[in-house]
Amino acid sequence: MSEWESVIGLEIHAQLATTSKIFSGASTAFGAEPNTQACAVDLGLPGVLPVLNRGVVEMAIRFGVAIDADIDHRSIFARKNYFYPDLPKGYQISQYEHPIVGRGHVSITLDDGATMEIGVTRAHLEEDAGKSVHDRFAEQSGIDLNRAGTPLLEIVSEPDMRSAKQAVAYARKIHSLVRYLEICDGNMQEGSFRCDANVSIRRRGESELGTRTELKNINSFRFLERAINHEIERQIDLLEDGGAVVQETRLYDADRDETRSMRSKEEANDYRYFPDPDLLPVAITDDDIERVRASLPELPEQKKTRFVDTLGLSADNAEVLTANRDTALYFEAALEAQPELAAPIANWVLGDLAGALNKAGIEIGDSPISPARLAGLVARIADDTISGKIAKEVFEAIWQGEGDADAIIEARGLKQITDSGAIEALIDAVIADNPEQVEQFRAGKEKVLGFFVGQVMKQSQGKANPGQVNALLRDKLKA
Amino acid sequence: MARGVGDILQGLESGEFSSVEITQDYLERIERLNPSLNCFISVTGEIALEQARAADAARAAGEAGPLCGVPLAHKDLFCTDGVRTSCGSRMLDNFIAPYDATVIAQCKRDGAVMLGKTNMDEFAMGSSNENSYYGPVANPWDPARVPGGSSGGSAAAVAAGLTPAATGTDTGGSIRQPAALCGVTGIKPTYGRVSRYGMVAFASSLDQGGPLAHSAADCARLLQTMAGFDQRDSTSADTALPDFSAGLDGGLAGRRIGLPKEYFAEGLDARLGDVIQQAIDELQQMGAELVEISLANIDLSIPVYYVIAMAEASSNLSRYDGVRFGHRCDDPADLEDLYKRSRWEGFGAEVKRRIMIGTYALSAGYYDAYYLKAQQLRRLIKQDFQQAFTRVDYILAPVTPETAFEIGAKANDPVSMYLQDIYTISLNLAGLPGISLPAGFVDGLPVGMQLIGNYFDESGLLAAAHAYQQVTDWHLREPGS
């Protein structure tokens, strides 16, 4: 065990899934031509004023309720002042004192199955900035303000995490939660869900925090883990070489798998926060909070408990099924088609389907096999129409778009042979062809039974019911 | 020549003249007199005549709005679609807004004709109109003197008869003080009464638009058009809009007028004090009851105002960075050079001074001592007024400590300039409405009197001012007559 302990906190920016911006009516859709989704308010033209999109308040409260957070009755927008070309007004409307969501917590499950509580310090609403475009004009930078004014919920954790793995588990948890709550699409590639990590190290047993660095520009969970581990190693090397960690912002470069300094604290801005006089304080009543609480969907923890208690799933399966909202939705849609088959459906979703999706790099929401078709396949196994082995062939065919399980079984003639007469005929033929092995079995060599089963299955092209084959073989061989 | 909005409406209704004719009269007068007075930054003759023709047609069709065919001038910080909005600044010398301010849109809706955009202190920062990139404005009563500010161009244009009425804005006295120094009537409504959308911001929590005209009755007409809830301004008040003209005849009998003892102590020029005293006597004869009151924290108004106004301004003016619109320096070496030189060249001295002070007041380590403290004291000032209004209907005060001073007299003394606003800025801090109306003269220069009303009681204020103007003729005096 290293003598160093790392201390990690995350700042997550979740883009709220509104159709219009936080303070203007312009669209938030991703990928439009530059500056086609920026109105006078987003451009910060003289005289324009922000008007709060009430939808974002509702979404923030949903998040607050879901993490059991304190929600103030009065929430205040503040201006964060700094100059940057992609920041049209010279200030960002954010929150400083009285953020909409106060102290809350989530629990994460570690690799060993243990759970751990992570504190959420606060979550506040703010507007996103635009983007600088450096590759469009020779020797000049362009500014695209389509993203300016897009609503963000910045979720700040306590420095409760002690490893990159824990940080990733926490980030995944928040990611799952905002997707369950339907307040963020969670798309990390498009920047809808961004993680900044504050990392410091200290000698084990010390209570004071070391100097931290902030890692930015991380757009996947895999990179989050790598960037943090990288930074921990860099800091350890620094300190062990007698150096010191400088408080700074570092950018993660995924191509080179390294972090590099972006700006140090000495260059840091004094943001001169003050309450935005263009916006009134947001009043939130207990009724508002209760109304939101009543409208919340079933959250992962609740779902997990229900899967175990009423569907009889294993705790492990329930955990994995509910960690991702789309996986849970897929499972539940399949279950709707075959309500009695929870356990085998769960196994197929987490086994063959997850494997195939992973291999193909496809998200479960885009699965080529619909929940109903997967359920149909599982049903044919359950009613002994096909064996588990044949099912894999059928699965592959459904994946290739050949139709549903019944159609494929029919077309390929894969229906399991359960007619005892037909199976007996096969057995008789195999026994007749292999007198030597019959002798061996009758002499007490039980193992030879396997050989006979294999032969019969082969003769049936895998379609004979293996249980029946087994039983009938025993009877015949002993006769 | 018809002089007020009411006279013009009467002439238009009776067919005595058309909107095109009266508009041409004003444009000719502007052409003749503006070169020496410098009231206008932009004169929009073609637009005015086009709007006048449309107004005449609308009237002929029986579709005349409340201000149909009435020429108006707009302070050059109300954004006007397609017409430059300079804010009196080099920074916005090239800025043409792609939209109308709500006030402008409502003036159009009601049929008003736009003569042009009036001169002002740069970004409304000043009390003399000397801080304009487009040069100072001459006071029509004495061209060597200032018209007051920051709505100096609007006040002087009304006084000189270059427009029957004008829009203005008031952050610390910018409607009332120039109205007083130019002998016209101007009202700063309750904060939230007039939408700030499209009004270039100086200090967001204090800025309020309002009219300047020859009489309270004309102010009532203009305010009716300018005011009203606007969902594009979150601080706009969603309260019922009374019929201001219908409320004008409320009179003063039995109304209680508070006289804050702090306002009549030191600092007020004795000759102005005499003029105000005569006005008080007049009001008493009209049946008003006078009550001495105290506004104990009023002396804090100036420091509180200058911390809050400048802090907000420092942030509001950050958007002028040379990146998207407005002045951009030539050949910037890099981003920082672009910011620094564009802002250095684009802003005048007073604007830079206020940005510096405001930035300082919001800085880490100073915020609590300045901005936060100022906000706390602001509440005390507001409470003093609220307390007073439990006892009185109006509060009477001077508008300015002295009459119009000579151009250049205070140019090197910003603090003395800031003290010009001593009687006006407390209302902005409290968000209360106030009206400035002519009350007499000292050495041939107009003296104004200020009536302060309770929240959203513009009707009461206009009625009181109207009653006074029914028995006096100070508001009818014209410069050079």
Side-chain angles (χ1 to χ4, degrees):
Chain A
M1 197 185 214
S2 160
E3 65 173 306
W4 298 99
E5 176 181 62
S6 48
V7 177
I8 302 154
L10 295 187
E11 287 172 19
I12 291 173
H13 289 85
Q15 180 183 320
L16 296 176
T18 55
T19 51
S20 61
K21 294 185 176 177
I22 182 167
F23 298 119
S24 84
S27 166
T28 53
F30 179 83
E33 277 298 295
N35 297 315
T36 55
Q37 286 177 182
C39 68
V41 172
D42 307 321
L43 293 172
L45 291 184
V48 299
L49 295 169
V51 176
L52 178 63
N53 179 345
R54 281 299 299 204
V56 304
V57 173
E58 176 98 10
M59 289 184 180
I61 297 174
R62 281 167 84 85
F63 179 77
V65 170
I67 64 163
D68 197 21
D70 303 326
I71 296 171
D72 214 338
H73 289 134
R74 197 160 158 272
S75 182
I76 293 178
F77 285 100
R79 293 185 184 177
K80 179 180 180 179
N81 294 282
Y82 65 98
F83 285 97
Y84 204 71
D86 66 14
L87 187 71
K89 297 185 293 296
Y91 58 84
Q92 177 193 30
I93 305 178
S94 180
Q95 297 198 283
Y96 190 56
E97 290 174 332
H98 301 283
I100 189 152
V101 175
R103 176 90 201 198
H105 57 89
V106 295
S107 85
I108 59 172
T109 306
L110 306 177
D111 282 350
D112 61 4
T115 59
M116 179 179 175
E117 193 103 311
I118 306 292
V120 173
T121 315
R122 58 184 277 162
H124 65 254
L125 289 166
E126 63 185 24
E127 57 178 344
D128 207 345
K131 272 182 192 162
S132 297
V133 181
H134 300 298
D135 55 2
R136 231 171 138 120
F137 310 99
E139 295 185 28
Q140 285 191 312
S141 291
I143 303 293
D144 176 7
L145 294 175
N146 281 353
R147 203 180 65 181
T150 298
L152 299 176
L153 185 67
E154 179 174 336
I155 303 157
V156 182
S157 84
E158 289 289 295
D160 284 349
M161 289 147 279
R162 295 289 174 268
S163 70
K165 275 203 181 325
Q166 288 176 10
V168 169
Y170 165 78
R172 282 188 185 279
K173 184 76 184 193
I174 296 291
H175 186 259
S176 160
L177 203 51
V178 297
R179 304 265 291 117
Y180 266 97
L181 295 166
E182 296 180 74
I183 61 173
C184 172
D185 69 18
N187 190 322
M188 295 179 83
Q189 288 306 313
E190 290 178 4
S192 305
F193 189 88
R194 312 197 282 267
C195 298
D196 299 341
N198 287 307
V199 178
S200 66
I201 60 166
R202 62 183 172 195
R203 280 179 202 282
R204 227 164 262 287
E206 273 179 12
S207 58
E208 237 169 82
L209 292 171
T211 304
R212 70 187 156 88
T213 57
E214 185 179 7
L215 308 181
K216 281 187 181 288
N217 201 33
I218 303 168
N219 65 1
S220 77
F221 294 123
R222 192 160 54 95
F223 291 158
L224 178 63
E225 184 166 348
R226 274 161 60 176
I228 291 171
N229 279 331
H230 222 280
E231 180 59 17
I232 292 169
E233 280 169 37
R234 192 189 68 87
Q235 292 188 13
I236 291 174
D237 288 349
L238 260 177
L239 293 188
E240 291 190 340
D241 288 350
V245 176
V246 179
Q247 186 172 339
E248 61 183 353
T249 300
R250 299 182 69 85
L251 282 186
Y252 178 67
D253 183 337
D255 296 333
R256 297 183 184 180
D257 191 23
E258 63 179 27
T259 64
R260 60 172 184 274
S261 181
M262 187 168 104
R263 58 170 179 257
S264 72
K265 196 185 175 223
E266 289 79 67
E267 300 163 50
N269 287 297
D270 173 359
Y271 290 121
R272 291 173 282 122
Y273 282 100
F274 76 106
D276 191 332
D278 287 333
L279 291 161
L280 302 175
V282 181
I284 298 163
T285 64
D286 287 334
D287 283 352
D288 292 334
I289 297 170
E290 287 317 309
R291 187 173 42 75
V292 169
R293 194 189 306 279
S295 74
L296 281 193
E298 188 182 37
L299 296 177
E301 294 298 323
Q302 299 160 330
K303 221 183 248 307
K304 184 178 153 189
T305 307
R306 180 168 62 84
F307 283 2
V308 172
D309 291 353
T310 68
L311 298 181
L313 299 189
S314 71
D316 278 355
N317 276 0
E319 167 78 28
V320 185
L321 278 175
T322 54
N324 176 322
R325 175 169 177 266
D326 287 342
T327 307
L329 287 181
Y330 187 100
F331 170 73
E332 289 184 295
L335 193 63
E336 202 163 301
Q338 296 294 338
E340 304 301 321
L341 300 176
I345 289 175
N347 287 330
W348 273 87
V349 170
L350 299 176
D352 292 70
L353 180 68
L357 290 170
N358 194 29
K359 197 171 153 198
I362 297 173
E363 295 295 322
I364 193 162
D366 303 320
S367 167
I369 298 184
S370 70
R373 286 193 169 174
L374 188 78
L377 173 65
V378 175
R380 294 293 81 83
I381 305 165
D383 67 8
D384 284 338
T385 305
I386 53 173
S387 66
K389 191 158 174 233
I390 292 292
K392 297 202 188 275
E393 183 187 335
V394 178
F395 177 88
E396 181 59 31
I398 303 176
W399 181 280
Q400 295 303 335
E402 289 178 27
D404 63 18
D406 288 337
I408 292 163
I409 291 166
E410 179 68 30
R412 295 194 176 187
L414 297 175
K415 194 170 181 326
Q416 191 161 248
I417 300 166
T418 50
D419 172 15
S420 306
I423 294 175
E424 278 179 53
L426 288 170
I427 289 172
D428 291 343
V430 170
I431 287 175
D433 289 349
N434 298 283
E436 235 176 89
Q437 283 82 354
V438 173
E439 284 310 313
Q440 288 174 0
F441 181 84
R442 289 187 176 151
K445 205 170 174 189
E446 287 270 326
K447 269 192 191 166
V448 184
L449 185 67
F451 164 79
F452 284 104
V453 172
Q455 287 299 308
V456 174
M457 291 306 289
K458 194 174 165 191
Q459 292 298 318
S460 76
Q461 291 163 317
K463 291 184 284 187
N465 181 303
Q468 272 177 293
V469 171
N470 231 306
L472 287 170
L473 259 172
R474 278 183 184 281
D475 290 349
K476 296 237 171 206
L477 286 170
K478 282 178 182 164
Chain B
M1 183 174 169
R3 209 166 158 259
V5 174
D7 305 328
I8 289 171
L9 281 170
Q10 220 167 39
L12 290 168
E13 279 159 21
S14 67
E16 188 189 329
F17 45 76
S18 69
S19 176
V20 169
E21 286 166 340
I22 193 94
T23 299
Q24 269 165 342
D25 284 352
Y26 276 107
L27 289 172
E28 278 162 25
R29 204 169 153 78
I30 290 169
E31 197 177 343
R32 190 153 43 85
L33 295 175
N34 194 56
S36 55
L37 292 172
N38 200 27
C39 296
F40 283 86
I41 290 174
S42 301
V43 179
T44 53
E46 277 180 30
I47 292 172
L49 289 170
E50 191 185 311
Q51 291 176 336
R53 277 190 290 273
D56 284 335
R59 188 172 292 282
E63 292 162 1
L67 291 178
C68 184
V70 176
L72 291 181
H74 296 297
K75 187 175 183 177
D76 205 17
L77 56 51
F78 287 102
C79 286
T80 42
D81 191 352
V83 174
R84 177 179 61 180
T85 300
S86 76
C87 246
S89 179
R90 182 185 183 194
M91 183 60 88
L92 292 180
D93 187 47
N94 63 3
F95 177 67
I96 297 175
Y99 54 91
D100 278 329
T102 298
V103 162
I104 300 294
Q106 292 179 175
C107 285
K108 280 186 180 172
R109 176 199 66 196
D110 287 355
V113 168
M114 178 170 79
L115 294 170
K117 309 284 295 283
T118 58
N119 205 340
M120 55 182 286
D121 283 300
E122 183 178 7
F123 284 102
M125 297 178 184
S127 307
S128 69
N129 216 114
E130 291 167 291
N131 300 332
S132 169
Y133 175 62
Y134 302 91
V137 173
N139 188 319
W141 295 90
D142 177 353
R145 293 178 187 269
V146 302
S150 64
S151 310
S154 288
V158 174
L162 305 189
T163 181
T167 57
T169 61
D170 190 315
T171 304
S174 282
I175 288 174
R176 292 159 290 156
Q177 186 252 15
L181 299 192
C182 290
V184 303
T185 305
I187 182 167
K188 180 202 95 73
T190 310
Y191 183 79
R193 181 64 101 179
V194 172
S195 168
R196 293 187 296 114
Y197 186 81
M199 206 176 97
V200 179
F202 159 18
S204 312
S205 74
L206 303 160
D207 294 343
Q208 183 61 203
L212 296 99
H214 287 296
S215 65
D218 281 359
C219 281
R221 292 186 177 93
L222 256 76
L223 186 59
Q224 199 74 47
T225 289
M226 295 173 74
F229 173 64
D230 179 6
Q231 57 185 16
R232 288 182 299 180
D233 174 1
S234 309
T235 62
S236 158
D238 193 2
T239 51
L241 195 59
D243 184 334
F244 296 119
S245 294
L248 282 175
D249 294 324
L252 265 174
R255 309 308 295 269
R256 296 163 69 91
I257 298 180
L259 302 174
K261 59 181 186 199
E262 293 84 359
Y263 275 163
F264 295 95
E266 53 197 290
L268 179 64
D269 182 305
R271 295 169 304 166
L272 271 77
D274 291 344
V275 168
I276 304 280
Q277 190 53 53
Q278 278 172 28
I280 292 170
D281 294 344
E282 187 73 50
L283 293 168
Q284 195 169 20
Q285 280 172 28
M286 291 163 65
E289 189 186 333
L290 302 174
V291 182
E292 189 186 87
I293 60 165
S294 172
L295 300 169
N297 296 292
I298 208 75
D299 59 326
L300 297 170
S301 297
I302 290 218
V304 166
Y305 172 84
Y306 276 94
V307 168
I308 291 171
M310 292 186 194
E312 293 182 6
S314 72
S315 175
N316 281 335
L317 271 61
S318 293
R319 69 189 60 195
Y320 308 108
D321 57 6
V323 174
R324 295 165 311 285
F325 51 78
H327 178 72
R328 177 187 282 199
C329 67
D330 289 330
D331 302 320
D334 55 24
L335 182 62
E336 192 163 321
D337 187 44
L338 169 74
Y339 286 154
K340 284 183 172 168
R341 277 201 293 131
S342 297
R343 287 168 69 79
W344 179 258
E345 295 165 3
F347 290 138
E350 180 62 25
V351 171
K352 286 179 203 161
R353 174 159 38 234
R354 295 192 188 200
I355 290 173
M356 292 292 290
I357 295 172
T359 302
Y360 179 82
L362 290 175
S363 302
Y366 298 97
Y367 178 84
D368 288 2
Y370 292 105
Y371 190 78
L372 200 62
K373 194 75 181 170
Q375 289 291 17
Q376 288 162 352
L377 297 174
R378 180 179 185 172
R379 276 193 285 280
L380 291 182
I381 292 165
K382 185 176 173 178
Q383 282 163 12
D384 281 354
F385 277 110
Q386 286 171 321
Q387 182 63 32
F389 279 115
T390 62
R391 298 175 55 209
V392 301
D393 301 302
Y394 307 110
I395 294 169
L396 187 145
V399 185
T400 59
E402 54 187 308
T403 53
F405 48 88
E406 291 188 352
I407 292 172
K410 295 180 193 293
N412 298 315
D413 187 356
V415 173
S416 155
M417 191 75 91
Y418 296 169
L419 290 173
Q420 286 299 305
D421 300 329
I422 190 158
Y423 301 114
T424 49
I425 58 179
S426 53
L427 277 70
N428 299 79
L429 291 169
L432 290 164
I435 191 166
S436 169
L437 64 160
F441 289 84
V442 167
D443 295 340
L445 293 171
V447 174
M449 155 174 81
Q450 182 175 212
L451 285 172
I452 304 163
N454 210 338
Y455 293 101
F456 297 103
D457 189 24
E458 291 84 2
S459 263
L461 274 184
L462 289 163
H466 180 68
Y468 179 78
Q469 291 181 337
Q470 295 302 101
V471 298
T472 59
D473 66 353
W474 305 116
H475 63 295
L476 299 177
R477 308 282 178 95
E478 293 180 59
S481 60

